[in-house]
Amino acid sequence: MSCKARFRPCIDLHDGKVKQIVGGTLNTADGDALRTNFVSEKSPAYYAELYRKDGLTGGHVIKLGAGNDSAALEALAAYPGGLQLGGGVNADNAATFIDAGASAVIVTSFVFSNGEFHEGNLAKLLKAVGNERIVLDLSCRKGSDGKYMVVTDRWKNFTTMEVCGKTLEKLSSSCTEFLIHAVDVEGKCSGIDTELVELLAEYSPCKCVYAGGISSFADVQLISDAGKGKIDFTIGSALDIFGGHIAYKDVVNYCK
């Protein structure tokens, strides 16, 4: 079968190292709760150069907490224009990351904090770099009422922003695409959140990048089919380059 979805590689950084972490356990206030699937001995630049050689664009470097600036800049320098940068991005530093080689900045907490959406901050970001350089992170979890709600603060705190048609329509003019981690399945390699993929494909006016739970090529094909060509994907813990069982090269070839 052909794959209409594009593979977007990732470099997740924690304490300056490339790691794969079970998303819902990322909470620096409770170190005992952190569950790490993989810690790489290779540098961020190694992965950036690998993605560059394979012609993969639109991947993302994510700084998970403090102490990752040098590692992130190393990755951007190794593949200028090929990677997006997320983690601690705001209107004051966004242009700096673009100048350092990021193709776009990924933004969460600057526009979603204390449970609320801050439209004024988004306006400041738009003025700083423009919508073509902004990726909005709408990573979400299901609330008690079954609705997908944007979560922040390392995916621990719910906001009042629902991931639905109205939200996607409203925000689409302020970004080039959405990055959406299905946090309830993130890092578990137990299968994707098909319901979320279908929702995004149905209602998002712009491209979405889905992350969370991919465990096989059947999951990739499901994203391709259910996503109607509008949903790209990233794989983390399941890839062999991050200690998983899916061959990175096979994914690259599958999506060509």
Side-chain angles (χ1 to χ4, degrees):
M1 299 180 69
S2 63
C3 184
K4 295 173 287 187
R6 189 155 63 101
F7 171 47
R8 308 286 197 95
C10 65
I11 303 173
D12 290 350
L13 301 172
H14 184 258
D15 290 339
K17 296 183 178 181
V18 178
K19 297 183 181 181
Q20 284 295 312
I21 292 170
V22 178
T25 72
L26 185 59
N27 184 359
T28 55
D30 184 4
D32 292 337
L34 182 69
R35 290 172 53 198
T36 304
N37 284 334
F38 177 78
V39 180
S40 179
E41 296 179 356
K42 295 181 170 63
S43 70
Y46 166 85
Y47 291 97
E49 289 168 0
L50 176 66
Y51 303 154
R52 178 182 58 80
K53 290 176 182 176
D54 286 325
L56 300 174
T57 58
H60 51 267
V61 181
I62 302 295
K63 299 186 295 171
L64 300 172
N68 294 300
D69 284 355
S70 295
L73 293 173
E74 177 187 325
L76 296 178
Y79 191 7
L83 297 165
Q84 302 166 356
L85 185 283
V89 173
N90 56 51
D92 293 329
N93 62 22
T96 300
F97 291 124
I98 297 296
D99 292 342
S103 60
V105 289
I106 303 167
V107 187
T108 313
S109 58
F110 185 62
V111 294
F112 296 102
S113 62
N114 298 319
E116 300 294 334
F117 169 59
H118 298 275
E119 195 164 3
N121 283 352
L122 180 56
K124 292 177 183 177
L125 195 66
L126 284 165
K127 185 176 181 180
V129 296
N131 65 333
E132 290 300 314
R133 296 286 197 169
I134 296 173
V135 175
L136 286 178
D137 183 347
L138 301 184
S139 296
C140 57
R141 310 181 79 157
K142 267 191 175 181
S144 57
D145 57 0
K147 295 179 180 179
Y148 290 102
M149 306 301 293
V150 174
V151 288
T152 61
D153 306 311
R154 298 175 180 84
W155 300 334
K156 287 292 180 181
N157 295 326
F158 282 87
T159 70
T160 57
M161 178 72 79
E162 180 186 357
V163 178
C164 60
K166 182 178 180 180
T167 295
L168 296 168
E169 180 68 36
K170 176 181 179 179
L171 297 179
S172 62
S173 62
S174 298
C175 65
T176 185
E177 63 187 29
F178 298 118
L179 171 63
I180 303 181
H181 291 77
V183 177
D184 289 326
V185 298
E186 171 71 20
K188 297 180 180 179
C189 303
S190 58
I192 68 168
D193 188 333
T194 308
E195 182 182 348
L196 178 58
V197 171
E198 291 174 341
L199 184 157
L200 298 174
E202 181 70 21
Y203 295 109
S204 180
C206 61
K207 176 70 74 173
C208 295
V209 181
Y210 169 89
I214 295 174
S215 62
S216 67
F217 283 102
D219 286 330
V220 173
Q221 193 62 51
L222 186 57
I223 291 171
S224 178
D225 294 339
K228 303 177 182 179
K230 294 170 62 176
I231 313 297
D232 290 343
F233 68 95
T234 185
I235 308 177
S237 298
L239 285 180
D240 60 351
I241 59 173
F242 298 128
H245 62 281
I246 299 178
Y248 161 80
K249 283 295 185 182
D250 287 347
V251 176
V252 174
N253 292 331
Y254 188 74
C255 293
K256 283 185 177 178

